[in-house]
Amino acid sequence: MIIAFCSASLPEDSVWTSVRLISQSQNARSLILSPEEISPDLIEEEVPRGLDMGKLQIETLGWFEDTLERTLQQTLRTIELLVNETRMRMLAPLLQKSALTRDFRARINPKLVYHNLTALSEAGIVNEPVEGTFELSQLGKTVLPEFIAFLEKTRKTLDDYRNKEVKSIGRR
């Protein structure tokens, strides 16, 4: 589980307290998105060994001012790959284990299998460590779960919004 913290400035004490608590769990880690660099000394003071142990990740949004357009284009190309139903049907099982090309062909039109495996390989989402066997690359292992979590969070947010709208219309 990844818990993300976003702030408009350096993290406040309440964020550091939460990050320390999360770093003690076995199955969670923290991600701090910051618009400015956070000093390594401050990080070490607030969450000792958090970075070394992989319990804390810091992402500085320096790209926001310099390369926003390029970052958005790269992100949209990746999302375009992942929003395809056939590709998701191929990728989801790879979260559990590698798969053979014949496994894909048993469930999906063979022409689509080869076309999509090529696109996913070129994007760096899947690897073919042994001919005919595919697995998620390190990028795929990171991006796919985050994308699925983003979709689920967005779906829940939209459902909540729609439910509130329906309730407010019913009160009028």
Side-chain angles (χ1 to χ4, degrees):
M1 176 184 323
I2 300 172
I3 301 165
F5 298 91
C6 305
S7 61
S9 61
L10 289 175
E12 297 176 1
D13 288 339
S14 61
V15 170
W16 289 118
T17 300
S18 297
V19 169
R20 281 191 294 276
L21 181 63
I22 293 163
S23 71
Q24 295 172 11
S25 75
Q26 289 184 358
N27 65 344
R29 60 189 172 105
S30 300
L31 168 64
I32 296 177
L33 301 173
S34 175
E36 56 188 276
E37 290 285 332
I38 301 174
S39 129
D41 292 339
L42 176 61
I43 296 168
E44 187 61 26
E45 178 183 322
E46 294 290 347
V47 188
R49 302 210 55 236
L51 293 172
D52 297 338
M53 295 173 52
K55 299 303 280 181
L56 173 62
Q57 181 180 349
I58 307 288
E59 291 291 335
T60 305
L61 303 179
W63 56 263
F64 192 76
E65 294 174 2
D66 300 338
T67 59
L68 177 62
E69 187 173 331
R70 183 169 48 93
T71 301
L72 286 173
Q73 287 174 353
Q74 290 172 334
T75 302
L76 290 173
R77 276 194 296 274
T78 303
I79 289 172
E80 188 176 334
L81 276 171
L82 297 177
V83 297
N84 178 289
E85 182 180 345
T86 300
R87 290 186 195 121
M88 285 302 287
R89 286 178 47 214
M90 295 169 72
L91 289 170
L94 295 179
L95 286 166
Q96 303 284 323
K97 63 179 184 168
S98 60
L100 299 170
T101 307
R102 69 176 175 204
D103 298 335
F104 294 129
R105 288 193 319 247
R107 294 177 288 128
I108 299 167
N109 178 328
K111 287 182 183 179
L112 293 175
V113 169
Y114 289 109
H115 169 75
N116 287 301
L117 283 174
T118 299
L120 292 166
S121 293
E122 288 173 357
I125 305 290
V126 297
N127 291 330
E128 188 178 11
V130 177
E131 188 174 336
T133 302
F134 289 87
E135 63 186 23
L136 290 174
S137 66
Q138 194 56 48
L139 174 65
K141 289 175 186 174
T142 302
V143 169
L144 184 58
E146 289 179 7
F147 180 70
I148 291 169
F150 166 76
L151 289 177
E152 182 60 17
K153 174 71 174 156
T154 302
R155 184 193 64 75
K156 286 180 179 178
T157 300
L158 292 172
D159 285 350
D160 290 347
Y161 177 77
R162 285 186 199 109
N163 288 337
K164 287 177 185 174
E165 283 290 308
V166 168
K167 287 178 183 177
S168 71
I169 290 171
R171 287 186 218 137
R172 292 182 193 170

